[in-house]
Amino acid sequence: MNKKIIQLTEKHVAGTYGRYPIALVKGNGSKVWDKSGKQYLDFVSGLAVDNLGHCHPSVVSAIKKQAEKLIHVSNLYHIEPQSQLAEKLTSLSFADKVFFCNSGTEANEAAIKLARKYFFDQGQPKRTEIITMHNSFHGRTLGSLSATAQKKFHIGFKPLLPGFKYIPFNDLAAARKAISKKTCAILVEPLQGEGGVNIPDASYLKGLKKICQEQGVLLIFDEVQTGFGRTGKLFAYELYKTKPDVMTLAKALGGGVAIGAMAATNRVMKSFVPGTHAATFGGNPLACAAALASLKVITGKNFLDKANKTGVYFLQRLKEIAKKNPVVKEARGKGLFLALELNKPGGNVVVECMKQGFLINCIQQNTLRFIPPLNISRKEIDSLLPVLSECLTKLNEKP
Ligand SMILES: *Cc1c(COP(=O)(O)O)cnc(C)c1O
């Protein structure tokens, strides 16, 4: 029954994804079902999108209500849910103003443009260079792709956008050395996602901020993956008590609906005046209504506290697995942003877990990533552990 869908996809959808041979057709909480009716526990969450689990009733109801009222109008007019979402996001963060778009890559494009425009407006039009980190991921459109310092994503797409300088993540000396009179911003994921769930030293982001302030350079955090409770706080910058000038958001923002945002302080955002940037669908009523409903749940009483405790519990269990399995190099993470780094490729573990009804994900060849819905139960986590443990034992025994 999955077969028909798989055939259509393979025949008619661009082949940009290497897909697993199942078609997911239904979801509820941490569970999803494929077309044949097989159930899976979801530790992928649509890649850190479904932070409330699938089809959360508050989000579903908000979408239904808004869809009956107004789905889309142009940003030539004021949009009620957009104004409310902007008010909410700014009251919950360092930012004063928000630009809305539809995805993470678009949010980063907006941040790149804003950083350049800010210095242009200051009479420093040559200050255009942005420093980014090895193993970063900022998106697939050409600006964000150029910001992404991973060679494998660049192959075949050159020339890239000029004006990016790549340095190692978690290396303050490298940042200090890389900054010049041409630098307009440092763009960094507070914790790297696609690059391997890489956690910085406790003082790294604070150190970056200090360097930026000394040099008059903007600090941009890409919180597309880490935002909305993924790492235990609403935004990961709170973990390190370091406020950026600009922050990009997407993934979990819309409770599953496509929406992106670039949030900034007034000082910086004032460079975005009419005509400088736009997105037709950006901040449309439907996506904003979904985002408002999702945010209300995430910021509700005890939600993040509980998610954080679940994360501590899960990491502890992963550390136990790491201790017992020599194939595991390290268990690491924050909140429900967790990983097991292996000393062998982990692709087979993903396939084996899937067969047994668990969706997990492997990045950088050898790092298993666990990013379940934030309201997953301990019981659900417990059900994965013996399966995972068995797969890792098998992997270890394989020559
Ligand atoms: C996923 C991701 C992006 C790109 O988001 P899209 O919505 O796929 O364009 C950008 N930055 C980070 C940190 C991400 O994890």
Side-chain angles (χ1 to χ4, degrees), residues 349-358 360 384 387-388 391:
V349 177
V350 175
V351 171
E352 192 52 41
C353 282
M354 193 178 77
K355 279 185 190 154
Q356 301 203 38
F358 298 92
I360 63 167
L384 166 73
V387 174
L388 184 63
C391 290

Side-chain angles (χ1 to χ4, degrees), residues 81-101 227-228 234-235 237-238 247-250 252-254 259-264 283 287-288 291-292 294-296 298-299:
Q82 181 187 116
S83 67
Q84 292 163 340
L85 179 58
E87 195 269 333
K88 190 94 196 157
L89 285 172
T90 53
S91 74
L92 291 166
S93 75
F94 72 91
D96 301 308
K97 281 204 165 133
V98 187
F99 170 81
F100 289 106
C101 51
F228 304 105
L234 187 62
F235 302 111
Y237 76 78
E238 299 169 50
M247 157 172 85
T248 55
L249 302 166
L253 169 56
I259 179 170
M262 186 273 290
C288 289
L292 275 167
S294 170
L295 256 182
K296 195 166 172 193
I298 291 183
T299 56

Side-chain angles (χ1 to χ4, degrees), residues 14 36 72 80 83 107 158 177 193 209 217 226 235 242 283 300 331 344 346 369 381 398:
S36 75
H72 177 83
E80 189 176 27
S83 67
K158 289 181 179 173
K177 207 170 136 214
K209 167 113 184 181
V217 161
T226 53
F235 302 111
T242 304
K344 282 187 186 171
R369 176 171 52 172
I381 290 168
K398 242 176 66 177

Side-chain angles (χ1 to χ4, degrees), residues 103-106 108 137-139 189 194 222 224-225 250-251:
S103 66
T105 200
E106 254 186 284
N108 285 322
F137 185 81
H138 300 295
E189 296 156 82
E194 301 309 302
D222 179 344
V224 168
Q225 185 160 157
K251 292 207 161 98

Side-chain angles (χ1 to χ4, degrees), residues 77-327:
Y77 313 99
H78 292 266
I79 297 172
E80 189 176 27
Q82 181 187 116
S83 67
Q84 292 163 340
L85 179 58
E87 195 269 333
K88 190 94 196 157
L89 285 172
T90 53
S91 74
L92 291 166
S93 75
F94 72 91
D96 301 308
K97 281 204 165 133
V98 187
F99 170 81
F100 289 106
C101 51
N102 312 286
S103 66
T105 200
E106 254 186 284
N108 285 322
E109 296 286 341
I112 293 164
K113 281 182 74 175
L114 181 65
R116 288 184 169 180
K117 182 65 163 47
Y118 172 76
F119 283 102
F120 179 88
D121 290 350
Q122 309 263 308
Q124 297 179 261
K126 295 215 168 107
R127 237 176 145 135
T128 56
E129 196 172 77
I130 298 179
I131 295 169
T132 65
M133 310 304 158
H134 295 164
N135 288 322
S136 55
F137 185 81
H138 300 295
R140 302 290 199 149
T141 54
L142 274 167
S144 302
L145 181 68
S146 307
T148 296
Q150 295 196 62
K151 281 205 181 92
K152 65 181 181 198
F153 295 124
H154 296 166
I155 297 167
F157 299 112
K158 289 181 179 173
L160 299 177
L161 182 69
F164 290 92
K165 195 186 256 181
Y166 308 143
I167 62 170
F169 180 64
N170 203 23
D171 184 340
L172 288 174
R176 215 170 280 119
K177 207 170 136 214
I179 285 192
S180 74
K181 287 270 171 288
K182 283 197 299 189
T183 312
C184 66
I186 293 180
L187 165 61
V188 61
E189 296 156 82
L191 300 86
Q192 289 188 326
E194 301 309 302
V197 183
N198 303 323
I199 318 295
D201 295 340
S203 60
Y204 175 61
L205 295 173
K206 217 168 229 171
L208 272 188
K209 167 113 184 181
K210 190 157 170 273
I211 294 169
C212 284
Q213 280 176 328
E214 283 165 7
Q215 305 286 331
V217 161
L218 297 177
L219 182 60
I220 307 172
F221 284 168
D222 179 344
E223 292 240 21
V224 168
Q225 185 160 157
T226 53
F228 304 105
R230 180 49 59 192
T231 66
K233 296 275 186 192
L234 187 62
F235 302 111
Y237 76 78
E238 299 169 50
L239 285 173
Y240 300 98
K241 301 192 168 49
T242 304
K243 294 175 184 168
D245 303 291
V246 179
M247 157 172 85
T248 55
L249 302 166
K251 292 207 161 98
L253 169 56
V257 177
I259 179 170
M262 186 273 290
T265 58
N266 269 330
R267 174 174 71 97
V268 186
M269 197 69 104
K270 72 176 187 314
S271 286
F272 265 6
V273 295
T276 50
H277 198 49
T280 298
F281 290 114
N284 68 80
L286 192 71
C288 289
L292 275 167
S294 170
L295 256 182
K296 195 166 172 193
V297 178
I298 291 183
T299 56
K301 208 167 169 256
N302 296 332
F303 184 90
L304 282 179
D305 265 356
K306 194 155 172 239
N308 220 347
K309 283 184 186 134
T310 309
V312 169
Y313 173 79
F314 197 178
L315 180 58
Q316 198 50 46
R317 301 285 85 77
L318 290 175
K319 282 192 167 152
E320 286 163 17
I321 287 179
K323 225 185 238 169
K324 278 191 303 199
N325 287 275
V327 76

